[in-house]
Amino acid sequence: MRASVVVVDWKRPDLTCRCLRSLLEQGPEGEFEIVLVMNEADAPSVASLRAEFPSVVVLPQATNTGFATAVDIGVAASRGSVVVLLNNDAVALPGFVESLVSVLESAPAEVAATVPTVLLEGTFAPADGDDGDEALVGLAGERWIRRDDDQGVRLVNGTGVEMTPDGNGHDRHWLTPVDELPEELDAPFGFSGGAAAIRRTSLDAVGGFDPSLFMYYEDLDVSWRLRLAGFEMLSVPDAVVLHRHAGSSSSSGDLVRFQSMRNRLAVVLRNGSWPVVARVALRTLVRAGKDALGAGGRQLSTRQWARLLRQLPALTWNAVRLRRRDAVGRAARARVEALLRR
């Protein structure tokens, strides 16, 4: 089996069916398998999906295991030498799987992953002050609002993941108009869990996804560990997917903000040099102080900060334990942190 495509569903069979149909049209049959992990699955949805997609391996889970654990479950049940990840709220355009897999197969062994171009579904227009929370905000503060027709601007969701020296991870080229995207793309720092192909041997070498992260920053964590182990990533611009942004989960809700704050700390503590760890810890303390004073827009509520404080000892212990197990030297950390986007 050349490749296994792992898709994670959480109570969105409508989007998942659309995703699976796009994958089954990739062809040729028999060269890759599709593994669907259904978090908090109900029996009617499982039966319906199995009836419509008999060739898909369906793995129902009684609870919501989160994205990281669900991916590990899917990978463990799969057979391909390459693992392709695709969000259930995305649609693979023709050639997506073949492009990612063939480039990875022909690349040197130190290339662990190939990264596609992810485009936002639909078209957008610059937002004005009346668009409120519906607008998508770019890295430089630009704001875009979705249009109801196809006459607007097509935007990039991401071409991989970047990380800043203060521990923030974000989609590279987020909200860049498609017409402004460079024809040739340099290698990104890491891959997005929403769409990528990863060599199984490389994934095994760094221990797979960290289930303690549940969701958010889990892809940055794996990418960072791959970089620390000496692996590289490649962009494959002609492998394209369309992503319905926040189709399967909110992009700006309380869960997103809490998990991002929590997991940023955990991921940096496991993978970063001590100066980076100190910088991120200080930044988090400053943010907590501002939220306590109600200054600059609240990131987390008082209840969420209290929850994070309660989790902090276990989070720290787990990250330090994994850091010791990884046994990465200072030189490797310095080499990887030199790649961070300033």
Side-chain angles (χ1 to χ4, degrees):
M1 185 69 65
R2 288 181 69 199
S4 300
V5 185
V6 176
V7 179
V8 177
D9 166 84
W10 183 57
K11 295 185 175 183
R12 286 306 305 264
D14 53 334
L15 293 177
T16 298
C17 287
R18 192 182 69 144
C19 174
L20 295 178
R21 293 186 192 107
S22 76
L23 288 171
L24 289 171
E25 294 171 356
Q26 297 283 299
E29 186 176 353
E31 290 208 352
F32 69 92
E33 64 178 349
I34 303 172
V35 178
L36 172 64
V37 183
M38 298 182 66
N39 274 331
E40 205 171 344
D42 61 83
S45 295
V46 173
S48 176
L49 282 163
R50 282 176 169 162
E52 183 173 353
F53 305 101
S55 64
V56 174
V57 179
V58 180
L59 304 174
Q61 307 301 307
T63 62
N64 183 8
T65 67
F67 183 80
T69 296
V71 169
D72 278 344
I73 291 170
V75 171
S78 67
R79 299 173 291 157
S81 58
V82 174
V83 175
V84 179
L85 303 179
L86 185 63
N87 266 3
N88 72 317
D89 55 4
V91 172
L93 297 192
F96 163 74
V97 173
E98 177 61 31
S99 294
L100 286 183
V101 174
S102 61
V103 170
L104 190 56
E105 288 175 333
S106 62
E110 60 266 24
V111 175
T114 46
V115 179
T117 296
V118 181
L119 305 180
L120 288 173
E121 187 176 88
T123 65
F124 297 79
D128 57 36
D130 297 328
D131 293 316
D133 294 334
E134 296 181 2
L136 299 180
V137 182
L139 300 176
E142 67 275 23
R143 293 161 53 85
W144 296 87
I145 191 74
R146 188 183 299 274
R147 289 179 61 111
D148 295 327
D149 53 38
D150 61 355
Q151 302 304 306
V153 178
R154 297 194 179 275
L155 300 176
V156 177
N157 190 145
T159 60
V161 172
E162 289 185 328
M163 189 177 73
T164 62
D166 59 5
N168 269 337
H170 61 82
D171 290 314
R172 185 172 70 157
H173 293 114
W174 166 245
L175 298 188
T176 297
V178 171
D179 292 344
E180 298 177 16
L181 192 65
E183 292 185 9
E184 296 185 5
L185 295 173
D186 295 334
F189 178 82
F191 66 86
S192 166
I198 314 162
R199 211 185 295 270
R200 181 183 293 271
T201 53
S202 303
L203 192 59
D204 289 344
V206 298
F209 284 73
D210 180 358
S212 72
L213 298 177
F214 192 76
M215 63 189 298
Y216 302 114
Y217 275 77
E218 73 291 316
D219 45 9
L220 181 63
D221 173 56
V222 176
S223 297
W224 202 342
R225 284 186 275 128
L226 286 169
R227 287 287 187 185
L228 289 170
F231 291 107
E232 300 177 3
M233 323 275 170
L234 287 179
S235 286
V236 184
D238 60 351
V240 181
V241 303
L242 296 179
H243 181 220
R244 183 176 294 181
H245 180 65
S248 57
S249 65
S250 170
S251 64
S252 59
D254 291 344
L255 175 64
V256 176
R257 290 192 293 271
F258 177 81
Q259 285 294 121
S260 295
M261 187 72 71
R262 175 195 184 277
N263 289 351
R264 183 186 301 116
L265 282 170
V267 170
V268 170
L269 186 55
R270 176 175 183 175
N271 300 302
S273 65
W274 291 120
V276 171
V277 171
R279 186 160 58 242
V280 172
L282 178 60
R283 179 172 175 265
T284 304
L285 285 173
V286 170
R287 182 69 263 177
K290 288 183 176 179
D291 280 4
L293 296 173
R298 185 180 290 275
Q299 185 74 19
L300 300 182
S301 67
T302 302
R303 180 176 296 180
Q304 286 177 314
W305 279 114
R307 179 186 174 195
L308 181 57
L309 185 62
R310 289 194 301 271
Q311 292 186 8
L312 193 58
L315 180 153
T316 302
W317 165 247
N318 184 61
V320 171
R321 177 183 62 83
L322 293 172
R323 183 186 182 97
R324 290 172 177 168
R325 190 189 70 181
D326 295 341
V328 175
R330 292 182 181 179
R333 297 192 199 280
R335 170 180 55 80
V336 172
E337 287 169 16
L339 302 174
L340 302 186
R341 185 175 179 270
R342 302 286 169 177

